[in-house]
Amino acid sequence: MSESPSQTGASDDARFVQIVDVVKRYGETTAVRDVSVSVRRNELFALLGSSGCGKSTLLRMLAGFETLSAGRILIDGQDMADLPPYRRPVNMMFQSYALFPHMNVAANVAFGLKQEGLPRADIRERVAHALELVQMSRYAGRRPDQLSGGQQQRVALARSLIKRPKLLLLDEPMSALDKQIRQRTQIELVEILKQVGVTCIMVTHDQEEAMTMASRVAVMNEGEILQVGRPDEVYNYPNCRFVAQFIGSTNLFDGRVVEDEPDHVYVESPDLPRRLYINHGITGPLGMAVSVSLRPERIAVVDQPPTGDFNWTEARVANRAYMGAYSHYHLVLPSGKAVTAQVSSAMPGEALPAAGATVYLRWGASAGVVLPA
């Protein structure tokens, strides 16, 4: 699924970056397939996907490090086709940060401005402002090997922003940081980018990173964009099996539509003894093969059989993992299908079903999402 900029009818701000029918081929291998998407001015937009999906290739084409096999890229209305990397209004912060080890922090940040031949006074002023922005002023005289990973990242960000690019590209910006520092730095980086007011496209394979930082995400697979939307839209309303499984975790029930009305649909699955009921209709014929996605946190685990003829089943607890705020249940249905459920942790002293126990699973009419099979 791609988004066509010409069909949005949006303002220039909504189409600040336009990627139009972009293709990248390496011999007989197609790395990026007819991708079209628009990025808004001052937006933090994430390209999310597993290794080899084409997201880094797309980023490098934006930067000018790769040529397009077909299509166009426009930034603020300007076609990038004939512009080499050094003439594009773009800067890129690399995964490795690529700091010069023999230069101190201030010299690293100033390097691009010196290459442009700016007056020394202007360089000093802009370096001081950039270091203040990333809270690294007191480390101006240190070399990169005297800094932590998080501090090196701040220096790389200051160096990327000091040239005041129209578009900032981030290549796996948190991958070199450990988990605790990464979580804190994600929020800090978003706040810095808001202060600067720069349009940013980031590439990541880390869904938590994309969901935390980006205002919109594009999920990629095999060179194509499958879905674009706000993090909550993509998570709650995936448009295909791949997105449902890639973003978070889910339980997929294959089945067929047996009743479809404007306000509801019934799906029968061989894995469940009762029908699945979803409180909205779909477009498609009766008997159509579909999958229903049920997120683990939308499933309740109870010790008594619910009433009603749909949306519940018996299950056996295979394992329970206590995660602090919640417990993660691995369960087996009578059909043999394995499912997972995520349940808020009980109060201290409250009994929880143990491995081997028989329980019942139920879920609401709005919990399921119907997907093409």
Side-chain angles (χ1 to χ4, degrees), residues 215-258:
S215 53
R216 286 190 304 150
V217 299
V219 182
M220 292 191 69
N221 185 44
E222 296 184 350
E224 298 179 300
I225 291 180
L226 301 182
Q227 186 169 359
V228 179
R230 297 192 317 267
D232 61 307
E233 291 174 335
V234 175
Y235 181 83
N236 290 315
Y237 304 105
N239 65 358
C240 64
R241 290 174 65 99
F242 180 88
V243 174
Q245 292 177 301
F246 187 78
I247 302 292
S249 60
T250 194
N251 301 289
L252 288 175
F253 295 94
D254 296 330
R256 294 191 177 277
V257 175
V258 294

Side-chain angles (χ1 to χ4, degrees), residues 277-293:
Y277 171 81
I278 297 95
N279 62 357
H280 59 78
I282 62 172
T283 301
L286 291 180
M288 179 177 66
V290 296
S291 296
V292 177
S293 169

